[in-house]
Amino acid sequence: MSYPTDGASTYPVQDIAAAWERERPGTPVESIGIVTPIWRLAKLLGDDRRRVLTRAGVDAATLDLLSVLRRSGDPYTLSTRELSRRSLVTAGAISQRVARAESDGLVTRRPGEGRPRTVLISLTQAGHDLIEITVDQVLGREAELIGGLTGEQQHQLTELLRILLQDVQRRLGDDRISQVGEE
């Protein structure tokens, strides 16, 4: 792919690729047109989500915990092991999230039956109410932000990103999903 080299493009990503082609002919620049916008979008979307969550009075980790419980269906209860698996975070991270949410009255914990070390986490009514309001705010805002794409474009992009993510995970041997910038 060749990029214009006049430095006058209206899309800075093209300027970056063109400059590398000019300064280092033969340098592979094809990824710049994909990776740079993904990083930029991740930053913009992450910052916007944090603003929405701040206004809602919840942090991303708590939203994740409450979302996993809410999506599990009635009675909105999962073991800490299952929470860890579905959240794709460590047991230690789940323990910290649960402790914070429990102190805020959003979840309860109780021993599981049959297995001595099993701990069950359940949404409280306050946790259920908070996630019901917050999920609409977050997903509504994100739907608004991607509204510049048609339904067909959104579907195409969803499929392309799924393919790219799965292939990159395979190449890196890493199937975790985490927040941008997290280790």
Side-chain angles (χ1 to χ4, degrees):
M1 175 180 293
S2 183
Y3 292 92
T5 58
D6 62 4
S9 84
T10 58
Y11 188 49
V13 172
Q14 290 175 325
D15 295 338
I16 294 167
W20 279 120
E21 283 181 329
R22 182 188 69 241
E23 295 299 317
R24 296 200 61 222
T27 297
V29 297
E30 298 80 16
S31 65
I32 292 173
I34 296 169
V35 175
T36 300
I38 288 174
W39 273 108
R40 189 83 208 277
L41 281 166
K43 171 84 169 97
L44 290 167
L45 293 170
D47 288 351
D48 191 74
R49 180 179 271 207
R50 278 186 288 286
R51 284 189 292 272
V52 170
L53 293 177
T54 297
R55 284 192 299 271
V58 66
D59 62 85
T62 301
L63 176 71
D64 184 49
L65 174 71
L66 300 179
S67 294
V68 170
L69 286 167
R70 178 61 178 90
R71 289 191 313 261
S72 73
D74 196 19
Y76 314 115
T77 300
L78 292 171
S79 69
T80 52
R81 175 176 286 184
E82 187 62 17
L83 276 169
S84 180
R85 187 186 73 75
R86 291 185 188 193
S87 297
L88 302 170
V89 298
T90 66
I94 286 298
S95 179
Q96 290 176 345
R97 290 176 181 190
V98 167
R100 267 195 322 268
E102 186 177 36
S103 73
D104 291 340
L106 303 173
V107 300
T108 60
R109 88 173 84 196
R110 70 178 191 281
E113 297 173 12
R115 298 182 81 183
R117 295 189 334 194
T118 299
V119 177
L120 297 176
I121 309 303
S122 300
L123 271 180
T124 63
Q125 188 60 52
H128 190 276
D129 293 347
L130 179 61
I131 194 62
E132 291 297 300
I133 293 167
T134 307
V135 75
D136 285 345
Q137 291 174 2
V138 169
L139 296 180
R141 175 62 175 162
E142 290 173 355
E144 179 184 319
L145 292 174
I146 65 167
L149 299 176
T150 66
E152 177 61 28
Q153 289 170 326
Q154 289 178 30
H155 177 73
Q156 289 172 340
L157 183 57
T158 297
E159 281 304 299
L160 290 171
L161 289 171
R162 180 189 60 77
I163 292 165
L164 180 61
L165 177 60
Q166 288 175 340
D167 186 59
V168 170
Q169 286 174 319
R170 181 188 58 76
R171 289 172 187 267
L172 295 175
D174 186 348
D175 63 355
R176 296 172 298 149
I177 306 259
S178 60
Q179 300 296 320
V180 174
E182 275 186 359
E183 290 293 321

